[in-house]
Amino acid sequence: MDALLKIAASLASQYVTMAYTMDVEYLDLQHSASSLLPLRSLADNDDNDDDDPVSRLHAAVAALPTAQQFRLHGKVWELGMLRGAPGAAHEWEWGRANLFADPARLAAALRRLLGHAAGPFATTTTTTATPGLRAVRLLPHVIGEGGAVAQYFSAADPDGGSGGAARVGYINGMGVCDIGHAHRDAAEVSRRLGLGSGGRWSGIGVRGVYNPSHQGAADVGGFLRDAARMKAIDGGQYARQQYLLVQMWAECLLDGPGSATTTTTTFLQIAHSEGASHVNAAMRLLATECGDDGARLLARLRVLMFAPSYFVDRAAYPAAQVVHFVKRNDAVINPWATGISRLPAGGGGDDRIVVVPHRVHDGDDHNNPHDMMSWDYIEAARPYVERFMSTGDIV
């Protein structure tokens, strides 16, 4: 294992120094969906006046180069997945078929694609960034993601249904090779924590971010690429997973269905294993690149990390609340997790790190010390979930 980790670290350092083309995405951190709501009634407007907002949206789309139009389809699909649009699940073509179905969604997609307002919301004819939009440079897909595409899903409904007000997020760990696996894990975690159908808080929607893998069956090379990606992200790089996380937090806290209009509403993010590295990097992105907009979102973020690949330094994000759950005999991640030195040596220490005793539960398939669905982890986390549901805090 030590030899593999050294190879992964070497690959990660190459990712930092390689001359490759970075992907550029725009985070939308101030955009209020409420200002676009009047446009929803225009979707079926028969007025052919070229000056009406929908006509201008059509013109804005038509003016895009073909490659940009293809990316726009992906942005519309991405927003459809994030907002729980029925039928959007895992289907890129959904974005093309539903391009003009929701003018407000299309306008938001154009903002996030171009980095400035377009169509009826244009305040400039240049590509100067609009306030609230932040450019972020991401590792290219072949490095930052893998064979599949990082994307949203709903833990409540595999067909994309919202399952209620979205106040909880989930991101999977390393080696999950298909989104169906991630969905099943998120649904089971939700059920065990009381968030699933029939649970104590069954009306709470759980949004997932799928963290894809380079790995196949018994694929050492894929594992090395996954591990190198993780270490590059821990070292300061960004990938699409962080973009999706930050946009989900902003959407659910500020703009999305079921979000509150007050600044007291908070969002609970759950992360497993490598997912902790992605969550930390998304928090770092908010803290270092997004100014006051990022600080406001961090203050409303609550995070539970299970068997984490990254132990967050609370001094880095003092306004956020982060709790780690770890088992000392977790041989999968403990030897190489970033910040593992923060793990208390004895029974005391950091109250944001919960050392969970490992027990074997007869008749349960989740007895591996690294498995966050172990009842040991679930029972340790439930009081924090209950506190979040009653107060909005976890500490």
Side-chain angles (χ1 to χ4, degrees), residues 327-352:
K327 294 186 177 184
R328 294 189 187 279
N329 57 338
D330 180 359
V332 174
I333 198 68
N334 286 355
W336 55 311
T338 299
I340 186 67
S341 60
R342 296 192 182 97
L343 181 63
D350 193 334
D351 63 354
R352 301 289 179 92

Side-chain angles (χ1 to χ4, degrees), residues 12-380:
S13 65
Q14 292 178 42
Y15 290 165
V16 175
T17 58
M18 283 170 57
Y20 48 71
T21 302
M22 301 282 279
D23 294 334
V24 177
E25 295 277 6
Y26 290 93
L27 290 168
D28 199 349
L29 299 183
Q30 283 187 338
H31 183 46
S32 172
S34 61
S35 67
L36 305 179
L37 289 177
L39 276 180
R40 297 184 186 279
S41 63
L42 298 176
D44 299 319
N45 193 336
D46 292 328
D47 186 357
N48 291 322
D49 183 358
D50 288 342
D51 267 345
D52 79 77
V54 174
S55 294
R56 281 184 277 160
L57 276 176
H58 278 263
V61 172
L64 293 174
T66 301
Q68 286 284 75
Q69 290 191 26
F70 183 72
R71 288 190 64 203
L72 180 62
H73 300 163
K75 282 291 176 194
V76 170
W77 168 70
E78 178 183 289
L79 281 166
M81 290 288 288
L82 175 56
R83 297 177 180 180
H90 332 317
E91 184 56 65
W92 186 279
E93 275 297 298
W94 186 93
R96 180 188 62 78
N98 292 274
L99 190 62
F100 295 101
D102 184 337
R105 181 177 60 215
L106 176 56
L110 282 164
R111 280 172 59 94
R112 296 173 191 188
L113 174 71
L114 302 173
H116 64 93
F121 313 105
T123 57
T124 174
T125 56
T126 72
T127 57
T128 302
T130 303
L133 288 164
R134 303 277 179 159
V136 55
R137 298 175 68 83
L138 308 178
L139 290 167
H141 168 79
V142 67
I143 294 174
E145 295 167 81
V149 176
Q151 59 189 271
Y152 295 115
F153 64 92
S154 169
D157 181 354
D159 292 325
S162 64
R167 290 190 61 199
V168 181
Y170 170 85
I171 183 168
N172 60 278
M174 186 184 296
V176 177
C177 299
D178 67 86
I179 193 170
H181 182 177
H183 179 272
R184 291 190 295 273
D185 284 353
E188 180 64 11
V189 168
S190 299
R191 185 187 70 80
R192 292 191 173 210
L193 287 173
L195 300 169
S197 177
R200 182 174 176 184
W201 301 288
S202 58
I204 298 298
V206 181
R207 291 287 186 274
V209 170
Y210 172 50
N211 171 34
S213 175
H214 294 86
Q215 298 181 48
D219 183 358
V220 174
F223 165 76
L224 288 173
R225 289 191 292 275
D226 278 356
R229 170 188 67 193
M230 185 181 76
K231 288 303 181 183
I233 288 167
D234 287 350
Q237 299 289 311
Y238 295 108
R240 182 170 172 78
Q241 292 89 318
Q242 291 93 67
Y243 170 83
L244 294 177
L245 282 167
V246 171
Q247 202 63 77
M248 176 175 69
W249 299 339
E251 177 86 10
C252 293
L253 286 169
L254 304 177
D255 292 347
S259 66
T261 58
T262 69
T263 58
T264 58
T265 303
T266 55
F267 186 86
L268 178 65
Q269 177 65 51
I270 296 171
H272 179 227
S273 193
E274 189 203 2
S277 289
H278 293 293
V279 170
N280 175 74
M283 295 170 70
R284 183 182 70 226
L285 178 59
L286 284 175
T288 62
E289 305 291 338
C290 297
D292 291 341
D293 295 330
R296 282 190 289 268
L297 287 176
L298 278 172
R300 299 167 64 185
L301 186 63
R302 311 292 181 253
V303 182
L304 300 179
M305 294 179 168
F306 296 84
S309 62
Y310 197 104
F311 288 78
V312 175
D313 181 359
R314 72 169 72 184
Y317 321 108
Q321 298 179 15
V322 182
V323 176
H324 313 73
F325 299 89
V326 60
K327 294 186 177 184
R328 294 189 187 279
N329 57 338
D330 180 359
V332 174
I333 198 68
N334 286 355
W336 55 311
T338 299
I340 186 67
S341 60
R342 296 192 182 97
L343 181 63
D350 193 334
D351 63 354
R352 301 289 179 92
I353 300 177
V354 179
V355 178
V356 179
H358 180 63
R359 298 169 295 171
V360 174
H361 298 263
D362 293 339
D364 191 60
D365 294 332
H366 302 285
N367 283 314
N368 187 295
H370 190 64
D371 191 336
M372 72 168 290
M373 284 177 279
S374 161
W375 284 112
D376 301 334
Y377 277 132
I378 298 300
E379 291 167 4

